[in-house]
Amino acid sequence: MQADLKNTLIAADHMTQYDIYARDLLSRKSILAHILTATVDEFKGIPPKAVEGYIEDTYVGVVPAEPGLTNTRRNIANGDRVKGFNTVQSEKQEGMVVFDIVFYVRMRDGLSQFIINVEAQKDEPSAYDILNRAIFYVSRLVSSQKERDFTGKNFNDLKRVYSIWVCMNMEECSWDYVHLTDDSILGNHEWKGKLDLLNIMLLGIPNKLPRRGKKYELHRLLSALFSNHLTSYKRIDILENEYCIATDSEFREEMKIMCNLSEGIYERGLAEGEARGEARGEARGKAEGGLEKAMEVAFNLRAMGFDEEQIARTINFGVDIVKGWFANESLSDLPAV
């Protein structure tokens, strides 16, 4: 555990920080450009570096998805319409649903725009069906365009919307494209309108790094960002050498923090400790990286406030062994939260 991450690790709730850093990494234009070239037909075949220039202001975790709150309000002084997304400060977000990432991307003609929403999920939610939530989000981004992107009944000015959901910790690579279709039931009348207004992409990203190849190109990139099986150095190596993504010092620091704050490490430690009838040797073999990974889990749990007995039960190691790790202090210069 890096000593220079001490203040970050103990500053606030770890799971909240994980969400924040996941969103921040995804919101970088270099990452978004790769997502766009894979998901939006108009950008396929264009170098991601060139696509970065079409991405406009990116809003991260500040635009409400709540009805009536997505747009800025009218200028009360003179009644003029104020164009743009409404943003809220983090301290005012309690209980409020907000988009993880939302932004406009301009097409190569310089005139038309799409609206893109990217959502990061640590896994597929069990409390609700993720597709239902995605439909709500994409619908909000369509309906909220009234008085922001068009006025009155000018519905032909509606912009195409993409809602892209990145679900981590999945068992396999998966990718579903949900969109409108027109099934003619009777007659041959051609109804006018845009079937491509609503677009939902559901991306399942496994922890295990997918093999290289065109088929898994986007999944390998996203897995490199969020997989718990990789060190920050391996992640950076993949980004720089396989995807030509330049990583500045800030980016590298965020990658290191993600490696330590990773909620997946914490949850995997719990899962291993709860496995019934698992012998200590089996637990060590199951843990990625063996003893070293078990120690990493232990120190993450201690930083979260777990005591030595709880940690020992969680990772299925003896209390004396865990105490010995902490007494050694080679990795334990972080105070308990």
Side-chain angles (χ1 to χ4, degrees):
M1 191 174 295
Q2 300 292 325
D4 60 350
L5 302 180
K6 177 177 178 179
N7 292 333
T8 303
L9 288 172
I10 67 176
D13 178 77
H14 292 68
M15 296 184 185
T16 300
Q17 287 193 26
Y18 179 87
D19 291 338
I20 292 172
Y21 280 100
R23 290 188 314 204
D24 285 348
L25 286 172
L26 273 179
S27 68
R28 289 178 174 268
K29 288 187 176 183
S30 56
I31 302 298
L32 292 176
H34 279 273
I35 294 175
L36 291 176
T37 58
T39 57
V40 179
D41 286 342
E42 283 77 359
F43 289 123
K44 289 181 179 179
I46 302 176
K49 191 65 179 178
V51 174
E52 291 182 34
Y54 297 107
I55 298 173
E56 301 186 344
D57 291 340
T58 304
Y59 300 88
V60 183
V62 294
V63 176
E66 303 283 354
L69 297 180
T70 305
N71 295 343
T72 54
R73 298 184 181 276
R74 288 179 178 272
N75 187 324
I76 299 176
N78 55 25
D80 290 342
R81 182 167 58 94
V82 180
K83 183 177 180 179
F85 285 114
N86 180 34
T87 59
V88 292
Q89 297 176 346
S90 58
E91 62 268 18
K92 297 180 180 179
Q93 291 180 15
E94 186 174 355
M96 183 181 295
V97 178
V98 296
F99 295 106
D100 276 359
I101 304 165
V102 63
F103 61 95
Y104 284 89
V105 59
R106 190 168 294 279
M107 296 295 97
R108 286 178 290 172
D109 60 14
L111 300 175
S112 56
Q113 293 174 305
F114 294 169
I115 300 175
I116 310 293
N117 162 230
V118 180
E119 296 291 322
Q121 299 285 298
K122 64 180 179 62
D123 52 26
E124 185 174 4
S126 58
Y128 56 84
D129 295 333
I130 191 169
L131 180 56
N132 294 349
R133 185 175 178 182
I135 292 171
F136 173 78
Y137 275 37
V138 79
S139 299
R140 283 293 305 131
L141 288 173
V142 170
S143 64
S144 69
Q145 292 180 50
K146 190 170 182 358
E147 304 306 327
R148 188 183 72 236
D149 296 299
F150 75 94
T151 59
K153 297 182 179 180
N154 297 321
F155 293 105
N156 284 356
D157 292 336
L158 277 169
K159 301 182 186 303
R160 193 189 311 178
V161 172
Y162 282 80
S163 188
I164 303 168
W165 293 71
V166 179
C167 297
M168 297 164 258
N169 297 303
M170 302 295 283
E171 293 184 359
E172 62 177 355
C173 290
S174 59
W175 185 347
D176 279 34
Y177 176 30
V178 182
H179 52 106
L180 296 176
T181 60
D182 181 2
D183 295 326
S184 180
I185 306 300
L186 180 64
N188 299 310
H189 182 74
E190 184 176 341
W191 300 97
K192 297 179 180 179
K194 302 176 182 177
L195 285 176
D196 61 359
L197 284 177
L198 303 179
N199 301 274
I200 296 172
M201 297 285 182
L202 301 173
L203 302 174
I205 311 300
N207 262 319
K208 184 178 180 180
L209 186 69
R211 64 178 181 270
R212 296 187 67 171
K214 189 67 176 178
K215 181 178 180 180
Y216 299 106
E217 189 172 4
L218 178 57
H219 287 72
R220 184 173 171 88
L221 168 63
L222 295 172
S223 184
L225 284 178
F226 301 115
S227 172
N228 300 317
H229 293 201
L230 303 176
T231 65
S232 60
Y233 303 103
K234 179 61 176 177
R235 298 171 195 247
I236 292 169
D237 177 68
I238 292 174
L239 295 179
E240 291 183 337
N241 296 316
E242 294 184 25
Y243 295 91
C244 299
I245 295 176
T247 58
D248 55 25
S249 58
E250 182 183 1
F251 198 121
R252 290 169 177 264
E253 186 67 11
E254 288 182 352
M255 295 293 282
K256 291 179 182 178
I257 293 172
M258 279 291 295
C259 282
N260 288 282
L261 285 179
S262 174
E263 189 176 8
I265 292 176
Y266 163 69
E267 291 183 339
R268 188 168 68 246
L270 291 179
E272 290 169 0
E274 293 170 354
R276 293 177 299 178
E278 190 174 62
R280 181 180 302 171
E282 292 174 335
R284 291 180 180 178
K286 183 178 179 181
E288 298 294 333
L291 181 62
E292 181 181 352
K293 180 55 65 176
M295 292 176 70
E296 182 179 2
V297 172
F299 281 98
N300 274 281
L301 292 176
R302 193 183 80 153
M304 294 176 186
F306 286 69
D307 61 33
E308 292 167 342
E309 291 186 359
Q310 291 173 320
I311 294 171
R313 287 198 302 270
T314 298
I315 65 174
N316 204 18
F317 275 75
V319 176
D320 291 339
I321 294 176
V322 173
K323 288 182 178 179
W325 294 343
F326 295 154
N328 185 29
E329 290 299 320
S330 60
L331 294 174
S332 58
D333 58 349
L334 296 180
V337 177

